Amino acid sequence: MAEKDKIQKTLESYNDVFADIVNVLLFNGEQIVKENDLTDAQTFSYYKMDTKNIHSQERDVAKIWNNGEIRISFIGLENQMKPFKFMPFRVIGYDGAAYRNQLNENLREKGYPVVTLVLYFGTKRRWKNYKSLKEIIEIPKALDSFINDYRINVFELAWLSDEQINSFTSDFRYVAILLRRLRTGKPYPLDNVSYRHAREILDLFYVMSQNNRDFESFFEEDSKNGNIFTGRTDMNKLIQSFIIEGAEQKAIEDAKSFYANGASIELISKSLKMTPEQVKEIVKDVVIEQA
């Protein structure tokens, strides 16, 4: 999980990718946010739980959207592999800290808005958890009109529309396509493509598809630019190979685990849709755990 989190952050931290995500998800693909208008923002903030202990909290990625010397907005991205029931609590904590920090910025007349996008990378189930503060707190009827609601912005990447996927102009488009492919099992049409952050794309494919293959073959040496993505690489075939080989690798690991825990060759064969001979070859060096 930590590896996925790190790789997601690395790709999203590039200004072109960050701006692209915001433009597609918030502005329907219009090029409103420009990559040169973004600067890195502090991701750490601190809070007190009691009189003695100070705790830290960290956003995944955060940028300041500028117009010259004018700050337009603080924008944060939060990555979630699984739905989290109390996500509104977490987001309001991040956003509140970002607003609080504005008091230290010598504001003249007004502050600027804070926006958080929750990027859900799950492919097995929809986000059916709470999306607003009032959904997760018990409010006495007499107090309801005095309690401000707080809604979070959740985007289910594996369920984006074709129009949204095709609106991406950065490498994040391939991430959306991979997630769609993992969810549906169906190829996604992809014609002329270019890559700007090839290493990060492959790293993310590697962890998202649970594929352990050596992907150095997808790179070639370039005297000026170092390792670059080969122009011969077909992204559709690449996505498919990562998914297929990732599934095969998981099946191998499952077979070894089942066998080590006492499952029979016949049961493993039936459960994982392998021949008994394939299972025997996979588990030949596995030591069976003793009860």
Side-chain angles (χ1 to χ4, degrees):
M1 187 64 71
E3 186 179 13
K4 289 182 181 180
D5 188 53
K6 180 180 178 181
I7 294 171
Q8 289 164 344
K9 291 179 184 179
T10 301
L11 180 61
E12 293 163 1
S13 66
Y14 290 109
N15 280 0
D16 65 306
V17 176
F18 190 99
D20 194 31
I21 292 171
V22 174
N23 285 331
V24 171
L25 299 183
L26 296 189
F27 304 124
N28 298 317
E30 290 188 50
Q31 301 302 298
I32 304 296
V33 179
K34 305 295 192 300
E35 61 177 292
N36 293 334
D37 293 337
L38 295 171
T39 55
D40 291 337
Q42 179 176 310
T43 56
F44 274 101
S45 58
Y46 301 89
Y47 63 95
K48 259 190 173 185
M49 288 293 291
D50 49 50
T51 57
K52 296 181 179 180
N53 299 315
I54 296 178
H55 301 266
S56 65
Q57 57 184 9
E58 183 182 11
R59 285 180 177 272
D60 287 333
V61 186
K63 304 276 186 181
I64 298 292
W65 177 19
N66 307 281
N67 182 7
E69 297 183 357
I70 305 299
R71 291 192 168 185
I72 299 176
S73 180
F74 178 108
I75 305 175
L77 303 181
E78 295 302 318
N79 300 316
Q80 284 294 122
M81 294 301 302
K82 298 179 180 179
F84 178 49
K85 181 178 181 179
F86 296 108
M87 198 67 190
F89 283 166
R90 183 181 294 174
V91 173
I92 198 173
Y94 292 145
D95 291 356
Y99 280 118
R100 179 64 179 81
N101 286 339
Q102 292 186 38
L103 296 178
N104 301 322
E105 297 177 359
N106 298 318
L107 294 176
R108 295 181 180 179
E109 295 183 3
K110 293 185 176 181
Y112 46 87
V114 176
V115 181
T116 297
L117 287 69
V118 178
L119 306 183
Y120 174 49
F121 282 77
T123 60
K124 302 299 183 183
R125 55 176 174 152
R126 305 294 298 264
W127 183 289
K128 296 183 179 180
N129 291 73
Y130 303 128
K131 296 183 181 180
S132 68
L133 183 63
K134 284 193 172 183
E135 290 181 288
I136 53 176
I137 55 177
E138 293 289 341
I139 306 174
K141 187 175 181 180
L143 288 179
D144 186 68
S145 61
F146 300 98
I147 306 298
N148 293 322
D149 201 3
Y150 203 84
R151 180 178 59 85
I152 62 174
N153 307 298
V154 178
F155 298 92
E156 301 171 288
L157 300 179
W159 282 267
L160 293 179
S161 67
D162 289 350
E163 181 179 3
Q164 287 174 305
I165 291 177
N166 293 330
S167 294
F168 285 114
T169 58
S170 74
D171 294 351
F172 200 77
R173 182 184 183 194
Y174 311 127
V175 177
I177 291 174
L178 174 65
L179 294 173
R180 166 77 74 85
R181 178 74 169 79
L182 286 171
R183 177 177 70 84
T184 66
K186 299 178 181 179
Y188 189 90
L190 185 63
D191 297 321
N192 296 325
V193 294
S194 60
Y195 323 100
R196 189 169 177 180
H197 309 293
R199 172 66 63 178
E200 288 75 14
I201 295 173
L202 288 178
D203 282 344
L204 192 54
F205 282 10
Y206 169 82
V207 296
M208 291 298 298
S209 61
Q210 298 181 325
N211 190 328
N212 293 330
R213 78 180 296 176
D214 177 10
F215 49 77
E216 291 301 322
S217 60
F218 291 111
F219 289 86
E220 61 182 7
E221 288 292 329
D222 183 270
S223 57
K224 294 182 180 180
N225 302 311
N227 288 339
I228 61 172
F229 222 178
T230 66
R232 298 183 298 276
T233 301
D234 183 310
M235 185 60 75
N236 267 323
K237 292 181 180 178
L238 179 61
I239 290 174
Q240 184 178 10
S241 69
F242 265 80
I243 292 172
I244 292 174
E245 293 180 23
E248 291 175 349
Q249 181 63 34
K250 186 177 185 302
I252 291 172
E253 293 172 356
D254 287 345
K256 291 180 178 180
S257 176
F258 294 159
Y259 187 72
N261 284 281
S264 67
I265 297 292
E266 291 72 20
L267 179 59
I268 297 172
S269 174
K270 184 176 180 180
S271 299
L272 299 179
K273 297 181 180 180
M274 297 179 178
T275 65
E277 289 72 22
Q278 289 175 318
V279 176
K280 289 178 182 178
E281 179 64 26
I282 291 171
V283 304
K284 63 182 181 181
D285 297 322
V286 175
V287 177
I288 298 178
E289 297 182 1
Q290 301 297 322

